[in-house]
Amino acid sequence: MRRPHKAFEIALSAIACAAAAGFLMLGSVNRVLLVTGYLVATFAIMVPLSKDFWWGSALCYLAAGLIALPVSLWYVVPYFAFFGLHPIVNRLQNRFVHKKPLVALCEVLKAVWFDLAMWLSWFVLTRMTGMPFPDYIEQYLYYILFLGGTLFFFVYDFLIFACQKSVDTVVYRIRK
């Protein structure tokens, strides 16, 4: 199979970057759409990855965050800390890690990364932006974060792998 032209990589990555930056900015304007903005930005990073455009996806991740930065100064921290890098790390794991013990180790390391990124996000969102959380979350934060967050991560990671396969199927149809 012939490798796509460099202009196609740039165009596909630019479209994904525009979608990611737009939803990151939309999520920072409306707190209800904040998680939606992170998820759509995550899906946008998957688009160049589906054609194995590693540099395009890395630049898409970086540029989307930097474009959204002036509008959403502190709200892009979760994107930079976890949501933007997660599809890239998953793709690297799919490509290079095949032995069961290493896959399990990767999953544990990603769960720890997720927990620490969510703790950093909570700290930044409460202290820097003044986003209020309910009292019961503040009281039981570490239980919710490190127990519930870890269990949630394994489901989330499985679903992100499934979404990457769906994006691969859809983008495969693009001929160039």
Side-chain angles (χ1 to χ4, degrees):
M1 187 161 137
R2 204 175 107 220
R3 180 91 175 142
H5 197 270
K6 207 65 162 161
F8 179 65
E9 178 178 2
I10 293 169
L12 193 63
S13 301
I15 291 168
C17 177
F23 274 92
L24 283 174
M25 288 187 283
L26 184 66
S28 67
V29 171
N30 186 348
R31 289 186 183 167
V32 175
L33 297 175
L34 189 60
V35 174
T36 305
Y38 295 143
L39 289 177
V40 173
T42 300
F43 295 149
I45 301 295
M46 291 180 188
V47 172
L49 283 174
S50 64
K51 292 281 189 181
D52 288 331
F53 295 152
W54 296 97
W55 283 107
S57 62
L59 290 176
C60 177
Y61 156 74
L62 188 62
L66 291 176
I67 289 171
L69 195 62
V71 174
S72 54
L73 181 62
W74 296 109
Y75 292 106
V76 295
V77 169
Y79 170 77
F80 276 126
F82 181 77
F83 291 105
L85 287 174
H86 186 240
I88 298 171
V89 170
N90 278 355
R91 192 62 163 213
L92 287 170
Q93 180 184 347
N94 262 354
R95 167 124 337 155
F96 298 114
V97 180
H98 300 293
K99 295 183 180 181
K100 294 281 186 192
L102 290 178
V103 170
L105 178 66
C106 286
E107 290 300 319
V108 169
L109 289 176
K110 287 192 312 184
V112 170
W113 172 39
F114 176 77
D115 290 342
L116 292 175
M118 292 304 104
W119 177 78
L120 174 69
S121 300
W122 169 81
F123 181 78
V124 168
L125 291 176
T126 56
R127 303 296 192 268
M128 303 300 181
T129 67
M131 181 183 282
F133 283 91
D135 289 335
Y136 67 89
I137 290 180
E138 295 287 338
Q139 185 178 2
Y140 300 111
L141 175 73
Y142 294 106
Y143 294 116
I144 293 170
L145 188 64
F146 293 114
L147 293 177
T150 303
L151 294 175
F152 170 77
F153 171 74
F154 291 115
V155 174
Y156 172 79
D157 194 44
F158 174 77
L159 293 174
I160 289 296
F161 273 118
C163 289
Q164 180 67 57
K165 288 180 184 177
S166 298
V167 170
D168 290 349
T169 302
V170 170
V171 175
Y172 175 77
R173 297 178 186 171
I174 300 174
R175 302 276 187 221
K176 198 64 182 167

